[in-house]
Amino acid sequence: MDTTSLAVDYPVLNIFWTMLEFFLWVLWFFLLFKIITDIFRSHDLSGWGKAGWLVLVIILPLIGVLVYLIARGQSMTKRDIQQAQENQAAFKAYVRDAATSGPDAGGRSHVDDLAKLADLKEKGAISEEEYQKAKEKILA
């Protein structure tokens, strides 16, 4: 089998065209799924409105997607921004809660206890051996 004949049968321009088609298909499906998730996420649409948009997007995908982007593109962006802000706020609240909550009911964390323990060691109030035992107790 001659490998040069394979290269002649499929020139470089066809390779680029195939890559472009593949990229556009991936882009199309991404956009389609993004719009479908936005339809279900939208709180200002009724059930019938969601069903109508979904039927339009599935039955006539090109027209449905274009009409949806024209009619609801700005509100789609606002919902994306609102969702990102809610996720950021939830993440910050989780980090804040994880940093301040500890095993005891006083709300102190292990970090606070270890910092106080290190201060006591630096001041000479406890020995290295006592420091290690207390540190193991806190981390256990």
Side-chain angles (χ1 to χ4, degrees):
M1 181 174 189
D2 187 17
T3 57
T4 58
S5 66
L6 292 176
V8 172
D9 290 343
Y10 205 71
V12 174
L13 227 54
N14 284 355
I15 293 172
F16 289 132
W17 181 252
T18 303
M19 288 171 49
L20 179 66
E21 286 177 341
F22 179 73
F23 174 74
L24 290 176
W25 272 106
V26 169
L27 186 66
W28 171 253
F29 281 114
F30 176 77
L31 182 62
L32 189 65
F33 290 131
K34 178 80 173 154
I35 287 176
I36 290 173
T37 56
D38 188 67
I39 289 171
F40 284 112
R41 181 174 62 174
S42 179
H43 296 295
D44 59 338
L45 281 176
S46 67
W48 287 106
K50 290 179 184 183
W53 277 114
L54 197 59
V55 166
L56 183 65
V57 167
I58 290 176
I59 301 296
L60 300 170
L62 184 61
I63 294 171
V65 166
L66 290 176
V67 170
Y68 189 85
L69 287 176
I70 292 168
R72 298 182 50 87
Q74 274 189 328
S75 62
M76 186 175 172
T77 304
K78 289 177 185 174
R79 280 187 294 279
D80 282 340
I81 291 171
Q82 180 185 6
Q83 183 69 35
Q85 289 171 344
E86 289 173 1
N87 289 346
Q88 182 69 22
F91 175 73
K92 285 182 179 180
Y94 171 76
V95 169
R96 197 175 311 112
D97 183 49
T100 58
S101 67
D104 55 334
R108 291 186 343 214
S109 68
H110 293 306
V111 176
D112 294 335
D113 293 338
L114 288 173
K116 289 178 185 177
L117 198 59
D119 283 343
L120 288 174
K121 181 184 157 203
E122 287 177 12
K123 292 178 184 175
I126 59 173
S127 67
E128 177 69 30
E129 193 176 296
E130 292 170 327
Y131 171 75
Q132 291 298 332
K133 286 181 183 178
K135 183 174 136 182
E136 288 174 10
K137 185 178 177 184
I138 290 172
L139 295 177

